[in-house]
Amino acid sequence: MNASKTSNSRMRVTEVEEFLKNPPDGFSVEELSSGHRVHSDPEKSLVLIDDFNSCRREIVFLNSVGRKVKMRNLWEYTSMRKSLLSKRIYLLMSACEENLSVNDKKAANEERVAVLKQFVVSINANDPFIKWQMEKGLDWSISSVAGESYRVDIDLTEIMENWAVKNSSVITDKLTKVQPVWRDASFTLKYYSDALFDFAHWFGFSKRTFCLRLT
């Protein structure tokens, strides 16, 4: 198996450079002077990746809806829910290492961690176990806010932490093992209702989080 790519039936983890060089089925990469444009088939893939830079070049996923998905009516929610329960979901995640040399508490988080590698992570939402978790989490989220606007974060941190234990050599070439801190190991759904007085949402009481697991 390529050291820059690991996979099983439920999840694939691919280094960004490898993804651009050998895109998976349903993807194609257009190389430009400023960077890369990545095309995908929205009928098969749900891409949740914001524009980013890699090796000082801009990477744009043209059919991406972004990491934070906004829904303003029932049709948009139903469409997104259908995608989340049937397609392969693509996310960009960064394996980071804490920079212990930075002691200034006022330093920005970006300065306190060093990005080791960036990965395109895909989850097979059509897998029965993943689909069951996603459906259960979405149902719980919407039923607990009683028709109000709400935000739900779907967290994959535990999945990536477990993956890193078995794939430390993919993350870094250092002889000593590194326990990475994962950045952007989640995505967000934001639903906006037309309620006139949406107090729970205004005061942050309608935020929900659920975690996905592979086993």
Side-chain angles (χ1 to χ4, degrees), residues 161-174:
E161 288 176 343
N162 292 336
W163 176 86
V165 171
K166 301 177 181 179
N167 296 277
S168 59
S169 62
V170 178
I171 296 173
T172 178
D173 297 328
K174 295 181 180 180

Side-chain angles (χ1 to χ4, degrees), residues 134-149:
M134 188 75 74
E135 194 167 27
K136 181 180 179 182
L138 292 174
D139 287 346
W140 166 76
S141 299
I142 196 169
S143 66
S144 66
V145 293
E148 305 159 354
S149 298

Side-chain angles (χ1 to χ4, degrees), residues 77-94:
Y77 170 80
T78 302
S79 178
M80 177 54 58
R81 180 187 175 96
K82 181 179 179 181
S83 294
L84 289 170
L85 296 176
S86 61
K87 299 178 181 178
R88 184 168 281 276
I89 303 169
Y90 288 81
L91 297 157
L92 176 75
M93 302 185 191
S94 300

